[in-house]
Amino acid sequence: LHPSSRSVTLAGLELFADASAAELSELQDSLERVEVDADDALVREGEPGDCFLLVVQGEATVTRDGLPVGRVGPGSIVGELALLRGGLRTATVTATTPVIGLAGDAESFGLLTETAGVRERFGRTAAQRLAASVQPVPATLQDGTAVQLRPVLPADRARLTAAFDGDFSADSQRKRFFSPGRPSAALISYLVDVDYVDHFAWVVLLAGPDEAGKGVASARYIRLADDPDTAEIAFGVVDAYQGRGLGRLLLGALGAAAPVGDVLRFRASVLADNAPMRKLLDRPNSHWTREEPGVVATVLDAPALRDLIDPATAAALEAEAQAIVAAAHLALA
Ligand SMILES: CC(C)(COP(=O)(O)OP(=O)(O)OC[C@H]1O[C@@H](n2cnc3c(N)ncnc32)[C@H](O)[C@@H]1OP(=O)(O)O)[C@@H](O)C(=O)NCCC(=O)NCCS
């Protein structure tokens, strides 16, 4: 990075579409202009994070352990996680064209996130970046099948689409969505593009030698807007893997994540003919009601559900959820 005297303007960036001229000028005054030549690094993995960088012009690639994980361009913010957590850079960002940016410290990052509209646009991206860096938690089903659990990522769109296209029968879709139709592209976006605070989802991937990385199940909680201590839960296990304990594993995993998001209760609506789901949710503290003809609902004590899975797995899942939710809060704070 070297200081630059060329003037830059923030007004054209989509990130600042809602910002006032006064906000932008205050923000610009708190930041230092920098230039990076093509092929030079903006930040390097493993180095201390003492500033963040807002890219104003130019493009760069992001690599972790030498592998590409993303691209950044005008309006992208890099390096803020290490700065805010007081830790080391978790990725290297290398300019592919000359880059002009604005560098700042934690205080100016605070100013940036207070700028109108920035929090909404940026918070989601930051949480997703951290989610991409978490380690999947291994687990073994009773029949010996090796799986991994991790939070859902935007990149899971293809996995989810494939599952809906072939591995999830019309009857499973009916039980999951209360209608047999294939989920729309907009619904799939909603399912993979989560904020980890009000909407949290685990996915289960195969981890054995066969079909490693194939997605076989997911489960989520979505906080109720009018009752923030309570979240609606929903599950989907591909047909070939139903009845093998994945539902139970995921219910325990949601229970492990619940205290992290301050969720006290889970609520579920279930088709009355869905025997496995009713069995799964029929816990000592379940309280069932009839919601409408053919639909029953129950409310469960969320944190107690972690006892469904072994304590070490529950602890690992909770730690993973903690890391993501903390980052999402940081980005939003
Ligand atoms: C419902 C669903 C999530 C359950 O997951 P699963 O991995 O198949 O379930 P599990 O193997 O963990 O079994 C869960 C419980 O149901 C019981 N069960 C499994 N299959 C069953 C069946 N055919 N009939 C009755 N009970 C059954 C299990 O014994 C287990 O009970 P336990 O926890 O008291 O031991 C899964 O089958 C599914 O995705 N179905 C289609 C979509 C759906 O119904 N989603 C839920 C709507 S939100």
Side-chain angles (χ1 to χ4, degrees):
L1 298 185
H2 44 89
S4 157
S5 53
R6 267 195 255 172
S7 72
V8 296
T9 170
L10 298 179
L13 298 176
E14 204 276 330
L15 183 66
F16 300 117
D18 298 333
S20 69
E23 280 180 314
L24 289 187
S25 113
E26 189 189 359
L27 178 63
Q28 197 148 343
D29 288 348
S30 81
L31 300 169
E32 186 185 351
R33 283 188 291 273
V34 292
E35 283 184 33
V36 183
D37 296 331
D39 300 327
D40 280 356
L42 282 73
V43 302
R44 280 195 188 79
E45 192 171 347
E47 288 185 351
D50 52 5
C51 69
F52 78 92
L53 195 77
L54 168 63
V55 177
V56 181
Q57 283 176 30
E59 308 280 339
T61 54
V62 185
T63 52
R64 184 174 296 118
D65 293 334
L67 297 172
V69 291
R71 301 182 62 80
V72 297
S76 299
I77 297 165
V78 297
E80 81 292 350
L81 286 177
L83 171 69
L84 296 174
R85 296 156 86 201
L88 301 178
R89 303 288 191 204
T90 57
T92 298
V93 182
T94 310
T96 48
T97 68
V99 168
I100 297 180
L102 291 166
D105 58 12
E107 199 177 323
S108 46
F109 188 75
L111 204 57
L112 173 67
T113 58
E114 281 159 28
T115 303
V118 165
R119 215 173 278 190
E120 296 76 6
R121 290 185 173 81
F122 168 68
R124 196 164 274 236
T125 319
Q128 285 163 358
R129 199 181 307 156
L130 188 78
S133 74
V134 298
Q135 291 297 313
V137 175
T140 309
L141 305 185
Q142 269 183 358
D143 64 4
T145 305
V147 296
Q148 292 182 329
L149 281 84
R150 63 157 170 74
V152 73
L153 301 173
D156 288 322
R157 163 183 294 279
R159 271 191 187 88
L160 205 69
T161 307
F164 287 137
D165 278 347
D167 304 325
F168 206 57
S169 64
D171 188 51
S172 288
Q173 308 223 18
R174 178 185 68 86
K175 288 175 174 152
R176 169 67 179 85
F177 298 109
F178 295 14
S179 93
R182 227 187 128 269
S184 64
L187 177 55
I188 293 177
S189 296
Y190 175 74
L191 296 175
V192 297
D193 189 17
V194 306
D195 65 10
Y196 308 104
V197 176
D198 293 330
H199 184 168
F200 185 97
W202 294 114
V203 296
V204 181
L205 309 179
L206 295 181
D210 294 334
E211 301 187 284
K214 180 185 165 81
V216 290
S218 71
R220 64 196 62 243
Y221 71 66
I222 301 168
R223 193 187 306 277
L224 300 184
D226 58 355
D227 181 7
D229 294 341
T230 304
E232 182 86 28
I233 53 172
F235 293 69
V237 178
V238 301
D239 285 47
Y241 284 83
Q242 289 175 8
R244 300 201 208 181
L246 278 170
R248 190 185 173 93
L249 174 64
L250 282 165
L251 187 59
L254 289 178
V260 178
D262 293 324
V263 172
L264 302 180
R265 288 173 298 276
F266 286 148
R267 194 189 166 284
S269 294
V270 182
L271 291 180
D273 69 355
N274 190 349
M277 194 61 188
R278 290 181 72 166
K279 180 91 195 316
L280 179 64
L281 298 178
D282 203 16
R283 299 293 145 198
N285 54 26
S286 306
H287 175 67
W288 289 93
T289 51
R290 261 165 62 86
E291 201 167 60
E292 54 184 279
V295 181
V296 290
T298 189
V299 175
L300 300 128
D301 173 356
L305 294 165
R306 69 183 291 141
D307 295 341
L308 291 173
I309 56 179
D310 80 82
T313 305
L317 290 166
E318 182 177 0
E320 190 159 316
Q322 185 85 57
I324 295 153
V325 173
H329 275 308
L330 263 186
L332 298 167

